[in-house]
Amino acid sequence: MLARSAGRPPLRAPSSNSLLRARPLVSKAPQSVFPPDTDSLQPESNKGRSDFSEYHSLPPSSDAMPPAVSPLSSNMHLEQKRLMTQITAFPPHTVISMPALSPTMQAGNIGAWQKKVGDSLAPGEVLVEIETDKAQMDFEFQDEGVLAKILKESGEKDVSIGNPIAVMVEEGTDVAPFESFTLEDAGGEKAPPKQEEQKGGAEASEPPETGSKTSPPASESKEEPSKTPQAQESSSTGGRLETSLDRESVGPAVKKLALDKGVPIAQIKGTGPGGQVTKADVEKYKPAAPAGAASEATVASYEDQPASSMRKTIASRLTDSFNQNPHYFVSSSISVSKLLKLRAALNASANGAYKLSVNDFLVKAISIAARKVPAANSSWRADSSGGVMIRRHNTVDVSVAVATPIGLMTPIVKNVGALGLQTISGQIKDLGSRARDGKLKPEEYQGGTITVSNMGMNDAVERFTAIINPPQAAIVAIGTTKKVAVPAESEEGEEGDSSPSIKWDDQIVIQGSFDHKVVDGAVGGEFMKELKKVIENPLEMLL
């Protein structure tokens, strides 16, 4: 280490914060910090090295720094040289680093840059789109300045949090010197997180460090102390990330239509604005006729598609949930005839102000049953000291499963017990729409207390079994409505004879999945009983 001289503070490396403020431009080249007899102070391994000699031979200055009294290692010499070169090469600037846009984010993929070099930046403006393990999100910058350099182009994958992605300068600063600015000038690039450390939180439920075994791990380095971290090439996919402009050329409605018709979107040439693929393009698509038997033999019998970050997260979380949480299942056939009549009456009197769905009633019914059976509205927790607890929630926050083009998400309707049916309906529609567009905020899909998954719109699904969304203890799976013949009250004939009769009843099959660590079997049955009671007597939801 160099001895500190009076009146001259020691040189310090720049801060490692996510926004790194560079030092002002140095007007004079610094005096050599080594005493005249350099050979006597150099380590044996550095004597005669050209890089060491070049650094030592910096031009003198009129305010020379007093010589040091102890030698530096070779590595410190080279690092000091690099920092001095960085300080004197570029005007004052700020390095913009990859942000953490969700609690479980370890790395992100760079989408479309919304600003180009030379553009002004204002607080709240979108700088770049970033794909996290949950969704495509906008990075809204919060400082004023001018974008001087983009260090990570659109399509870059697995950029670790804190890695430099761009450079900003103040208004009026010339950006031309930053054409030669590199990642090394910004402090270098961190090694990507190991694959096992990228197990993110549930797609809708659990923020990190909840204490459950399925909660996302806290960011903790587990590298062997004797090994230096080595950069690893991402294994998430073989190609570059599509930018949002490329991705938005196919809207969700078009994707659904293509999926229903079995049309490969990649083979369609869009006729819409900017090459956008439209519904008409999908309708008009005709597969190319085979050239002959020989060409048919060369066509691959399958196609491999790389799993997205979100698909990996869903796979990991639900596998952990099913393996670590002892599931049991309780099903019940429930009449919805009265509920359907109440729904029709309320919608008829709404004058277009709202349109209630069956799912809106079921979300409300689940909240009422959960308040009557609090164990179903609980979660399994463990604290940092190893203690285990069951947390009973005072409000019912219902996670509603939504299918999106990139995977399952469960946005949350919070404190359902305090909301009316019209408000519940409006929130579900808004959250579902933004989930499909990838515009949900992390707090809107993390932290629910119980989940509902409704496949009733598919008349082929009578019932199904859902996997618990940890750390929650229950999830309710809703099947489709079916007409079922049930006994009706007998009517007396003219001669007093009673003849048996039947009537058609609208019924659904609801199946609850419960975590036996938290909810005993009898308690799960009690919850289903209360849920059946509320659904079959829907006026209770209006109280």
Side-chain angles (χ1 to χ4, degrees):
M1 297 291 292
L2 288 175
R4 180 170 180 176
S5 303
R8 296 295 296 268
L11 292 172
R12 299 181 183 274
S15 170
S16 59
N17 293 333
S18 60
L19 295 180
L20 177 64
R21 181 69 65 180
R23 298 183 182 180
L25 182 66
V26 178
S27 59
K28 294 183 180 181
Q31 170 73 6
S32 169
V33 296
F34 307 109
D37 186 10
T38 57
D39 286 340
S40 64
L41 295 179
Q42 296 182 39
E44 288 296 325
S45 59
N46 285 333
K47 292 182 180 180
R49 285 178 54 176
S50 59
D51 55 355
F52 188 92
S53 301
E54 177 186 354
Y55 179 71
H56 175 66
S57 59
L58 291 172
S61 172
S62 58
D63 55 347
M65 183 183 294
V69 297
S70 60
L72 293 171
S73 69
S74 175
N75 289 338
M76 292 183 66
H77 283 295
L78 297 177
E79 178 66 12
Q80 191 67 32
K81 172 182 174 182
R82 188 187 69 78
L83 292 176
M84 286 188 174
T85 302
Q86 176 180 334
I87 292 171
T88 58
F90 303 102
H93 58 275
T94 297
V95 175
I96 303 173
S97 301
M98 171 64 81
L101 298 181
S102 73
T104 61
M105 179 177 171
Q106 298 285 336
N109 304 331
I110 303 295
W113 284 93
Q114 303 301 310
K115 298 288 185 179
K116 61 180 181 297
V117 173
D119 285 354
S120 296
L121 305 176
E125 291 185 343
V126 177
L127 176 62
V128 62
E129 294 181 352
I130 295 174
E131 181 185 349
T132 70
D133 58 342
K134 300 292 190 304
Q136 184 84 11
M137 303 183 71
D138 295 334
F139 176 24
E140 296 181 357
F141 203 60
Q142 300 302 320
D143 288 333
E144 293 183 348
V146 176
L147 185 61
K149 179 72 174 182
I150 293 176
L151 301 174
K152 293 289 186 180
E153 297 292 340
S154 297
E156 293 285 349
K157 289 181 173 293
D158 294 336
V159 180
S160 299
I161 293 173
N163 274 355
I165 61 173
V167 178
M168 183 191 74
V169 295
E170 296 181 354
E171 289 283 353
T173 304
D174 184 14
V175 300
F178 292 92
E179 292 182 2
S180 60
F181 196 95
T182 65
L183 278 172
E184 292 301 322
D185 296 321
E189 188 169 8
K190 298 179 181 178
K194 294 184 178 180
Q195 188 68 25
E196 60 268 21
E197 294 176 357
Q198 295 183 3
K199 295 182 179 180
E203 64 276 8
S205 172
E206 190 171 14
E209 300 204 12
T210 59
S212 66
K213 292 184 178 180
T214 55
S215 65
S219 56
E220 180 180 353
S221 174
K222 296 183 179 180
E223 301 169 354
E224 296 182 14
S226 60
K227 295 184 179 180
T228 302
Q230 299 295 326
Q232 299 178 359
E233 183 178 355
S234 168
S235 59
S236 62
T237 177
R240 292 176 66 84
L241 169 71
E242 287 182 322
T243 67
S244 66
L245 297 180
D246 296 331
R247 191 166 48 252
E248 289 174 359
S249 65
V250 183
V254 178
K255 285 183 180 180
K256 184 177 185 302
L257 179 62
L259 182 63
D260 293 341
K261 291 183 171 292
V263 174
I265 293 180
Q267 299 180 18
I268 301 177
K269 184 176 181 180
T271 60
Q276 184 178 19
V277 178
T278 64
K279 289 185 178 180
D281 296 330
V282 177
E283 296 284 358
K284 296 177 182 178
Y285 172 79
K286 293 182 180 180
S295 62
E296 291 181 1
T298 61
V299 176
S301 60
Y302 62 88
E303 179 183 356
D304 290 332
Q305 295 183 348
S308 65
S309 298
M310 185 173 180
R311 177 54 54 191
K312 293 176 185 176
T313 300
I314 293 172
S316 173
R317 294 285 295 135
L318 295 186
T319 299
D320 289 345
S321 173
F322 204 70
N323 289 338
Q324 297 177 9
N325 298 321
H327 287 56
Y328 72 91
F329 313 100
V330 181
S331 60
S332 177
S333 295
I334 301 176
S335 173
V336 292
S337 295
K338 293 181 181 179
L339 186 149
L340 294 178
K341 291 177 182 179
L342 177 61
R343 170 178 174 261
L346 291 175
N347 284 339
S349 63
N351 296 323
Y354 56 83
K355 186 177 180 180
L356 301 177
S357 68
V358 174
N359 197 54
D360 301 332
F361 284 88
L362 296 178
V363 168
K364 181 68 173 180
I366 289 171
S367 73
I368 295 173
R371 289 203 310 271
K372 292 182 177 180
V373 186
N377 194 47
S378 304
S379 56
W380 181 264
R381 306 278 176 163
D383 57 29
S384 57
S385 62
V388 177
M389 68 192 77
I390 295 176
R391 179 175 297 172
R392 292 200 173 180
H393 303 279
N394 296 325
T395 60
V396 183
D397 300 334
V398 180
S399 302
V400 182
V402 176
T404 74
I406 58 174
L408 180 70
M409 297 194 73
T410 51
I412 304 166
V413 183
K414 297 184 178 180
N415 197 11
V416 177
L419 304 178
L421 288 168
Q422 181 179 352
T423 304
I424 293 172
S425 179
Q427 289 194 19
I428 290 177
K429 288 181 175 66
D430 174 62
L431 291 168
S433 175
R434 289 193 289 117
R436 285 183 282 271
D437 293 338
K439 299 298 183 181
L440 288 178
K441 300 176 182 178
E443 60 269 20
E444 292 177 319
Y445 58 79
Q446 290 182 334
T449 62
I450 191 170
T451 298
V452 57
S453 181
N454 190 345
M455 295 178 68
M457 67 292 298
N458 187 340
D459 57 9
V461 181
E462 292 187 0
R463 69 178 71 194
F464 68 100
T465 300
I467 299 176
I468 295 170
N469 196 5
Q472 298 174 12
I475 182 171
V476 180
I478 313 293
T480 193
T481 304
K482 293 289 185 181
K483 292 283 188 181
V484 179
V486 297
E489 294 180 2
S490 59
E491 299 179 358
E492 293 186 359
E494 295 180 357
E495 300 179 357
D497 295 333
S498 61
S499 57
S501 61
I502 62 171
K503 66 177 182 179
W504 294 100
D505 187 33
D506 293 299
Q507 294 187 3
I508 57 176
V509 177
I510 295 181
Q511 180 157 296
S513 304
F514 301 94
D515 182 356
H516 219 314
K517 300 195 310 291
V518 181
V519 185
D520 289 334
V523 179
E526 189 65 24
F527 172 83
M528 296 299 294
K529 178 181 177 181
E530 292 294 338
L531 182 60
K532 178 182 176 74
K533 177 182 175 183
V534 175
I535 294 174
E536 292 186 343
N537 298 277
L539 289 177
E540 185 177 346
M541 303 182 200
L542 305 181
L543 299 178

